[in-house]
Amino acid sequence: MTTKFIWYGHATLGLETGGFKLVIDPFFSGNPAATISAQQVKADYILVSHGHSDHVGDGIAIAKRTDATVIANYEIASWFGKQGIEKTHGQHLGGGFKHPFGYLKLTLALHGSALPDGSDGGNPCGFLLTTNDGKKAYFAQDTGLFGDMKLIGEEGLDLAVIPIGDNYTMGPDDALRAVKMLAPKVVIPIHYNTWDLITQDADAWAKRVEKETKTKAVILKPGESFSF
Ligand code: NI
Ligand code: MN
């Protein structure tokens, strides 16, 4: 069994694992980097890392159209419930749950989480997924660097997906320090080049990663995928 990871641009991610389709932070409408529209997305599960509009994105519309289950922290899951989404699953930081697609744990993230209407989105999170065949993937989503990434790395990561855009999240220097703590087999950078404010040279960053660590850096274009 392989798991297919798709980068749709920005922090919008797709996963196909064991016959299940997941979309993480489903920001398609208004996302200058997105290569498909929200109407084209197929999803069994929608994961939302925090309340910002570039992460909640088209989550409500996709959930209504596809009947996907929304997984997020308790506050955001409850907010989706108030928007008429019946299938939600609230978790919280440090808590894991065995979903049909794998074991999903919510991890720490250093960021904000206000929802688009100003509601309290609780604490932002990242996701640590253990697939049904035992592969581990960490999706940091929006975060600054934090030392407990070392603890996440101790799980033994096949893949880490981390932001490098700077300004709102880690920039390239801190993202390189993150790779050293996470020590994944493969790292894929996200949350860059969506807007001028977060323009980065991902190829230059990848060269630094491969020079200074044992991790392989894979640079995707929006719409491209990587299987692990
Ligand atoms: Ni954000
Ligand atoms: Mn963001």
Side-chain angles (χ1 to χ4, degrees):
M1 176 184 133
T2 58
T3 294
K4 183 178 177 186
F5 166 84
I6 307 132
W7 186 43
Y8 290 115
H10 199 55
T12 304
L13 317 176
L15 282 174
E16 295 175 14
T17 183
F20 297 97
K21 287 187 164 59
L22 283 66
V23 60
I24 303 178
D25 291 350
F27 172 47
F28 296 93
S29 306
N31 177 353
T35 53
I36 63 170
S37 72
Q39 288 72 32
Q40 293 172 281
V41 175
K42 296 192 179 105
D44 302 302
Y45 294 89
I46 299 168
L47 279 52
V48 178
S49 69
H50 65 286
H52 293 162
S53 57
D54 59 321
H55 296 260
V56 171
D58 302 288
I60 294 167
I62 295 170
K64 283 187 175 161
R65 180 175 54 76
T66 63
D67 200 33
T69 300
V70 175
I71 302 172
N73 72 26
Y74 183 81
E75 290 86 349
I76 293 174
S78 302
W79 183 82
F80 271 88
K82 285 187 197 139
Q83 318 303 314
I85 306 305
E86 285 172 17
K87 288 161 68 179
T88 64
H89 183 114
Q91 294 185 212
H92 239 299
L93 274 67
F97 184 80
K98 177 75 183 73
H99 295 278
F101 58 82
Y103 182 79
L104 183 75
K105 189 155 74 175
L106 269 52
T107 57
L108 175 65
L110 293 183
H111 198 66
S113 189
L115 283 152
D117 63 2
S119 297
D120 174 15
N123 289 308
C125 74
F127 299 104
L128 179 61
L129 172 66
T130 308
T131 63
N132 288 334
D133 63 348
K135 301 266 176 57
K136 291 215 187 213
Y138 169 53
F139 307 97
Q141 304 310 98
D142 287 13
T143 187
L145 182 69
F146 55 90
D148 287 357
M149 284 182 180
K150 193 166 184 308
L151 298 177
I152 297 170
E154 282 171 8
E155 300 238 5
L157 301 176
D158 295 284
L159 173 66
V161 175
I162 65 173
I164 65 162
D166 222 349
N167 195 74
Y168 301 115
T169 67
M170 292 190 285
D173 292 348
D174 279 354
L176 178 58
R177 297 168 72 193
V179 173
K180 289 174 183 174
M181 284 192 276
L182 294 166
K185 287 184 186 146
V186 172
V187 67
I188 297 177
I190 61 165
H191 214 279
Y192 69 96
N193 289 3
T194 321
W195 303 290
D196 290 346
L197 200 56
I198 55 173
T199 298
Q200 298 297 342
D201 184 342
D203 291 318
W205 183 76
K207 285 200 182 83
R208 291 174 69 194
V209 168
E210 297 199 347
K211 189 170 172 231
E212 295 187 35
T213 76
K214 294 194 174 85
T215 296
K216 179 177 166 58
V218 173
I219 307 302
L220 299 179
K221 292 190 184 73
E224 289 184 342
S225 64
F226 172 79
S227 292
F228 63 100

